[in-house]
Amino acid sequence: LSQGGPGGNQKQIQVQLRGQDMPTLTRAALAIEGEMRKVKGATDIDLSTRGDRPELEIQLNRGLAGTLGLNVAQMAQSLRPAFAGVKAGDWIDPLGKTRDVTVRLAPEARTNVTDIEQLPLVVAPSGGISAGTQGSTSGTAPASTSGTATAGGAPSLIPLGQVATVVRSTGPAQIDHLNRDKVVTVGANVEGRSLNEVTTDLNKRVKKLRLPPGVILSQGGDVKNQTEVFTKIFAALALAVLMMYLILVVQFGSFLDPLAILLSLPLSLVGVVLMLLITGDTLNLMSLIGVILLMGIVAKNAILLIDFAKWNHEEGMPLRDALIEAGRVRLRPILMTTVALIAGMIPVALGAGEGADFRAPLGRAVIGGTITSTLLTLLVIPTIYEIMVEGREKVRGWFGRKAKPAKRVEAKPEPAAAP
């Protein structure tokens, strides 16, 4: 199956039903189609098998055919010249071009049940077909063609209607396959709602249906692509946070201090969600890339704050005073970098130019996350860091390991020069 894409005719939502029995797949697909029409936002609903075509179905009487030594493969090979044709030779037209000559039944004979039932089958004396239909264009077998093999060893002719029944029916215009299974796809587009909302409502309705045995349900189209992309994006996000933590552990020489810095990351998600709700955007690929970008930007503010406070505390300043001093001193560089970043993202967030609708969520997510993380980092991170440090000192006290009080190192005056 071809995947949907720009310029393609595939639907955004594709519910794929896989199995071996086409009638069963069609019944299950019709049931899902009925539920899909009840979902708000789903439009252009259709089946991949829509538009059945009339066909003639030949039902072999296996018991009777077995007594004559016939099987399905032999019957199909015998009928092939009548419908697909057999090459009878070459013909040179008046212009001197050589053309192939193919002999088969006339078009009206190939659609007439009576003519097809009279197609002669040559039965060998041993009970098998020795030759296919003799290239006749009339499509009508002689009246004396019925019978069985003669005792003298000469082959005989029997009409197709003697060992098979020809009935009119309808079949799918095309049969698709996926992973070696037949598949029927129920497709739909999305209008007025996000793809995730429509898919969620549809999945709730589909779970209530009892699919026939042997029917496997899977997702295709944009839903499948979105699931794969989101899985990879979240894996990249988790790896980025892990690498950031390991680097901070090496820089700070502590496993606890980097945790206070990493707690600033969820604070940026508050702004991302609020900004997307205000602008009416969805959590898509570009907004998730913006979230990954925020991980480094937001951690930078917390690093500036915690590093300065830790340095002052090691110099002998009380922890709370060190945190207040860090907030006062580091406020200016934090605001400078934040305002510069927001200003640089404004053109992207405004969505001006070609392809702006695709990249605008990135800028909006970065702006919203930067604003909330900057405000909350100055208030929440110092509080959390103070709680963590005091908790660490209490734990050390329980195990009889008291932390050595930090002492401020005073600069010694240089000795006066000798006169």
Side-chain angles (χ1 to χ4, degrees):
L1 289 175
S2 60
Q3 295 295 331
N9 58 356
Q10 300 295 321
K11 304 297 180 72
Q12 293 175 283
I13 298 177
Q14 295 182 18
V15 180
Q16 299 169 341
L17 299 169
R18 294 158 41 202
Q20 296 298 328
D21 187 27
M22 281 300 297
T24 303
L25 293 178
T26 303
R27 289 195 301 270
L30 291 174
I32 292 180
E33 180 188 14
E35 295 296 330
M36 188 179 292
R37 294 187 181 278
K38 301 177 184 177
V39 178
K40 181 180 178 182
T43 183
D44 299 334
I45 302 171
D46 201 358
L47 296 180
S48 61
T49 56
R50 189 77 71 190
D52 293 345
R53 295 181 178 180
E55 63 181 12
L56 293 175
E57 182 178 350
I58 300 178
Q59 301 173 353
L60 178 64
N61 187 336
R62 297 181 181 272
L64 179 58
T67 60
L68 299 176
L70 305 178
N71 55 41
V72 177
Q74 291 173 324
M75 292 281 294
Q77 188 65 26
S78 178
L79 294 175
R80 183 178 181 276
F83 291 91
V86 60
K87 184 177 178 181
D90 299 327
W91 172 64
I92 301 177
D93 62 10
L95 299 178
K97 292 184 179 181
T98 302
R99 302 182 182 275
D100 295 335
V101 177
T102 301
V103 179
R104 65 173 180 173
L105 289 180
E108 59 274 10
R110 295 197 300 269
T111 58
N112 191 304
V113 175
T114 303
D115 290 342
I116 295 175
E117 289 179 344
Q118 295 299 320
L119 285 176
L121 302 178
V122 182
V123 181
S126 58
I129 295 180
S130 61
T133 304
Q134 309 299 318
S136 171
T137 59
S138 64
T140 303
S144 61
T145 57
S146 61
T148 57
T150 60
S156 64
L157 299 178
I158 63 172
L160 175 64
Q162 183 174 334
V163 294
T165 303
V166 182
V167 295
R168 295 186 181 275
S169 62
T170 57
Q174 65 180 24
I175 299 178
D176 298 321
H177 289 81
L178 179 65
N179 296 335
R180 298 183 179 181
D181 291 329
K182 296 178 181 178
V183 60
V184 177
T185 303
V186 185
N189 289 323
V190 176
E191 182 180 5
R193 300 179 69 191
S194 66
L195 178 64
N196 185 56
E197 292 175 341
V198 176
T199 304
T200 301
D201 292 348
L202 176 60
N203 290 337
K204 292 180 180 178
R205 292 182 174 273
V206 171
K207 287 181 180 180
K208 298 178 181 179
L209 295 177
R210 293 184 178 180
L211 297 179
V215 176
I216 303 174
L217 189 144
S218 60
Q219 294 285 353
D222 290 350
V223 177
K224 179 182 178 181
N225 297 336
Q226 177 178 276
T227 303
E228 294 177 352
V229 169
F230 277 26
T231 301
K232 295 178 181 179
I233 286 290
F234 285 127
L237 181 60
L239 181 60
V241 174
L242 177 61
M243 295 297 295
M244 187 185 306
Y245 174 74
L246 296 178
I247 292 174
L248 292 176
V249 167
V250 174
Q251 291 180 340
F252 281 91
S254 170
F255 288 97
L256 187 62
D257 294 343
L259 293 178
I261 296 174
L262 294 180
L263 287 176
S264 62
L265 303 183
L267 302 180
S268 64
L269 299 180
V270 177
V272 172
V273 174
L274 291 177
M275 182 61 73
L276 294 180
L277 289 176
I278 293 174
T279 57
D281 294 315
T282 59
L283 190 64
N284 51 31
L285 175 61
M286 296 306 296
S287 57
L288 286 177
I289 293 177
V291 171
I292 295 179
L293 178 63
L294 276 174
M295 297 299 100
I297 299 173
V298 171
K300 175 263 304 177
N301 295 338
I303 291 173
L304 291 175
L305 195 65
I306 299 301
D307 181 67
F308 192 81
K310 185 177 181 180
W311 181 82
N312 283 336
H313 182 55
E314 291 177 349
E315 292 296 321
M317 183 179 295
L319 179 59
R320 179 164 296 187
D321 295 339
L323 291 171
I324 295 175
E325 180 68 11
R328 185 185 66 82
V329 175
R330 294 303 191 189
L331 177 62
R332 184 170 179 269
I334 289 176
L335 291 180
M336 289 175 60
T337 55
T338 299
V339 172
L341 177 64
I342 294 176
M345 282 293 174
I346 287 179
V348 180
L350 291 178
E354 185 177 357
D357 293 340
F358 177 71
R359 62 176 180 268
L362 186 149
R364 294 164 185 171
V366 171
I367 291 176
T370 303
I371 293 175
T372 57
S373 64
T374 301
L375 298 177
L376 295 176
T377 296
L378 297 173
L379 300 175
V380 177
I381 298 303
T383 304
I384 294 177
Y385 182 73
E386 182 180 12
I387 294 174
M388 293 176 62
V389 172
E390 291 178 352
R392 178 174 58 187
E393 293 175 354
K394 289 181 179 180
V395 172
R396 287 178 176 177
W398 293 342
F399 290 94
R401 297 172 55 190
K402 294 185 178 180
K404 296 181 180 180
K407 296 182 179 180
R408 180 180 295 274
V409 179
E410 301 290 345
K412 296 182 179 179
E414 297 182 359

